Amino acid sequence: MPHLVILYSGQLERETDMSALCNSLASTLLAAHDDAGKPAFPPGGIRVLAYPAAHSAVADGGAASLAAGGSGDYAFVYLNLRMAAGRTPSTHKRVGDALLMATKAHFQPQFASRHIGVTLQIDEGHEVFDAKHSNLHPLFAPPSA
């Protein structure tokens, strides 16, 4: 962990490079540090996944935008970061602020041309079941002395 899952309205698929957003947000997670200045997350545990919503309804479906002379074509981006328990509230805030800043920067062209809502939530907690199997973590382990 952490796993960041992005769900977004389908029309954004044509308007932006979601792979670039995933890479940007993965880099943001890699750069995150805890209160002691140590990396907040193990590099081998970082996952950023993005999925377009095949079906969605946003707000009033665009009626307010149409009434104001707009296109009526609302968009959304929902980001959910799930992490294991143990990080401080200040680390949560730093990570959340950094992810939101990177997301807003990525979607700046869309904010300039359309109505779009971005939501970021961070979940941390006690899992009732948590199984992992990975051969990624050894790639990031410091060399043995």
Side-chain angles (χ1 to χ4, degrees):
M1 289 245 191
H3 296 172
L4 177 60
V5 177
I6 307 164
L7 183 63
Y8 58 95
S9 52
Q11 73 269 47
L12 292 175
E13 189 78 14
R14 299 180 303 273
E15 298 177 16
T16 191
D17 183 349
M18 294 304 289
S19 292
L21 176 63
C22 290
N23 288 323
S24 171
L25 296 176
S27 294
T28 300
L29 291 170
L30 279 168
H33 288 83
D34 64 16
D35 296 338
K38 296 180 183 172
F41 307 110
I46 293 173
R47 312 281 189 277
V48 180
L49 316 159
Y51 303 96
H55 309 280
S56 65
V58 180
D60 66 356
S65 175
L66 286 171
S71 68
D73 188 24
Y74 297 154
F76 75 88
V77 179
Y78 172 73
L79 303 98
N80 180 248
L81 177 64
R82 177 80 177 143
M83 67 177 79
R87 292 166 186 88
T88 64
S90 59
T91 299
H92 298 159
K93 178 157 178 26
R94 266 194 311 281
V95 168
D97 287 344
L99 289 171
L100 185 59
M101 185 172 31
T103 301
K104 287 169 51 177
H106 179 85
F107 285 107
Q108 192 55 45
Q110 286 70 36
F111 282 117
S113 64
R114 67 158 47 259
H115 293 94
I116 181 170
V118 173
T119 300
L120 168 64
Q121 292 182 318
I122 297 177
D123 296 329
E124 177 189 65
H126 175 74
E127 296 81 11
V128 295
F129 180 80
D130 183 28
K132 296 178 180 88
H133 177 78
S134 172
N135 63 357
L136 289 170
H137 290 282
L139 294 172
F140 304 98
S144 303

